Amino acid sequence: MIIRHDALGMTRPIQAIIHTDALRHNLMVARRHAPHSKILAVIKANGYGHGMLRVAQALKDADGFGVLSLAEAVTLREAGFQQTLLALEGLFEADELPLAARHHISVVVHSEPQLRMLEVAHDLPPLDVFLKINTGMNRLGVADKDFPNFYERLRICKAVNAITLMTHFATADEAPGIADQLTLFKQLTDGISAPRTLANSAAILRYPKTCVDWVRPGIMLYGATPFTRESAAQHDLQPAMTFQSEVIAVQTLQAGDGIGYGRCFIAEKPMRVGTVACGYADGYPRHAPTGTPIAVAGKMTRTLGRVSMDMLGVDISDIPEAAIGSPVELWGKQVPVDAVAQMCGTIGYELLCAVAARVPFKEHG
Ligand SMILES: *Cc1c(COP(=O)(O)O)cnc(C)c1O
């Protein structure tokens, strides 16, 4: 039995176990695919829901870390991490510049206002910048026609130290691939001697030629897949999170009985149903339909009916040993988070990021 007292003094049998050995293994897989690149481990969104500092500690051999905000980068610096720390969207306000400079935080520069901030700054120790070029993702980045001028202005800017050239792929994980974006990036940057960074997890796994000076793995480090049709296991990735709970009640149903709100599942024959202490307020997706994979007492089965706020139903008709107190894996080593996500019409990324703050976390490995 798992008994944990969380901050609220509750003893619900739910927790997320973070496998630090899996994180380290997955970093090694990234290195195997990109043996000549430095690795910027992406730990935004609280380390994809695994805990930013916990992940950074497990991946302390990474050459750098990518985060969202300056505040996160400063937290890492203050925790003693000495490697490159990159704010992936750059700074939002000019008054963040001195703090970034003082802590040697690298910043993405993707827009004219961010460039202006640097141009008008004075008495600032120069910053390392990652110049982001829009090669077709159309989210962040300098337009191709503006790039030469933008690069030149950065190059002569007194507030700028090293410049790394960066782009991000829109379809590294699916059919169109990266060819157009890679060609444009090469055309634009040809002849410029500066380090480059292109690849996210999908590109690292699929397009070795995109593994240049730096690579930026995210999801693969957590042992989930960036692809729809290839599993994490196929790429030798190990799940870094086990989201687990227990059966807290067992119901016996006759044919015609319904389960949960709306009775959207009706038993066609006599069944045994387990009630699990995990609901959408824990971060389990409410839109998980009947049939979503889940494991009870080490056996694969399926969810039944609507997910409630704090509970969900599972089919234990074929698991006679299942009883109150039986362990349940929502996702982890046995139930790939990607399989749950696929049933919910989403991706593993979203589920991992959404585990609720009320769930106690524990490290293992
Ligand atoms: C999130 C992010 C990554 C990591 O992407 P994955 O698909 O998780 O590997 C890489 N680069 C940038 C700029 C990102 O924002």
Side-chain angles (χ1 to χ4, degrees), residues 6-262:
D6 66 18
L8 301 173
M10 295 164 76
T11 54
R12 283 177 81 219
I14 185 168
Q15 53 182 206
I17 313 264
I18 304 305
H19 307 283
T20 52
D21 51 353
L23 288 165
R24 288 190 297 272
H25 168 86
N26 298 332
L27 177 63
M28 189 204 70
V29 174
R31 283 218 190 278
R32 206 160 67 207
H33 284 269
H36 308 297
S37 306
K38 289 188 278 184
I39 297 203
L40 190 94
V42 179
I43 56 172
K44 65 197 182 194
N46 195 29
Y48 288 46
H50 295 63
M52 182 183 74
L53 282 172
R54 181 183 294 120
V55 173
Q57 189 53 42
L59 300 181
K60 60 179 187 300
D61 294 338
D63 305 286
F65 293 107
V67 293
L68 181 61
S69 67
L70 177 61
E72 290 165 319
V74 169
T75 299
L76 287 165
R77 195 59 92 217
E78 286 178 339
F81 293 95
Q82 314 242 307
Q83 50 272 76
T84 296
L85 302 176
L86 176 64
L88 288 165
E89 293 181 9
L91 302 181
F92 296 93
E93 302 288 344
D95 60 13
E96 294 178 300
L97 277 170
L99 187 63
R102 176 150 28 99
H103 290 281
H104 302 286
I105 310 298
S106 304
V107 297
V108 162
V109 178
H110 66 79
S111 69
E112 176 68 25
Q114 288 179 331
L115 174 57
R116 285 300 296 159
M117 272 182 212
L118 290 162
E119 287 179 328
V120 302
H122 40 85
D123 297 334
L124 195 70
L127 283 136
D128 290 341
V129 306
F130 283 58
L131 166 52
K132 191 157 188 182
I133 310 170
N134 177 16
T135 55
M137 173 81 171
N138 291 315
R139 192 175 62 176
L140 294 184
V142 179
D144 47 359
K145 66 172 176 31
D146 300 330
F147 167 73
N149 178 253
F150 206 97
Y151 176 71
E152 192 52 27
R153 282 167 65 194
L154 268 184
R155 211 180 54 76
I156 61 176
C157 180
K158 290 200 169 49
V160 171
N161 184 36
I163 304 172
T164 300
L165 303 173
M166 172 176 182
T167 199
H168 194 56
F169 296 125
T171 51
D173 57 325
E174 51 191 305
I178 50 121
D180 291 359
Q181 286 189 259
L182 188 60
T183 303
L184 179 56
F185 182 86
K186 282 187 168 155
Q187 274 169 11
L188 291 169
T189 61
D190 192 38
I192 296 178
S193 124
R196 288 154 166 73
T197 174
L198 308 170
N200 57 3
S201 298
I204 292 168
L205 295 170
R206 198 168 270 179
Y207 303 105
K209 64 183 173 203
T210 64
C211 298
V212 290
D213 300 274
W214 285 92
V215 293
R216 308 189 305 270
I219 195 69
M220 67 181 292
L221 298 174
Y222 306 97
T225 183
F227 305 115
T228 2
R229 283 186 202 81
E230 292 161 36
S231 70
Q234 266 173 271
H235 289 280
D236 186 31
L237 300 168
Q238 298 175 0
M241 180 193 292
T242 298
F243 190 22
Q244 65 185 33
S245 186
E246 284 180 8
V247 172
I248 58 167
V250 174
Q251 307 296 343
T252 306
L253 272 61
Q254 302 308 318
D257 289 346
I259 296 171
Y261 287 117

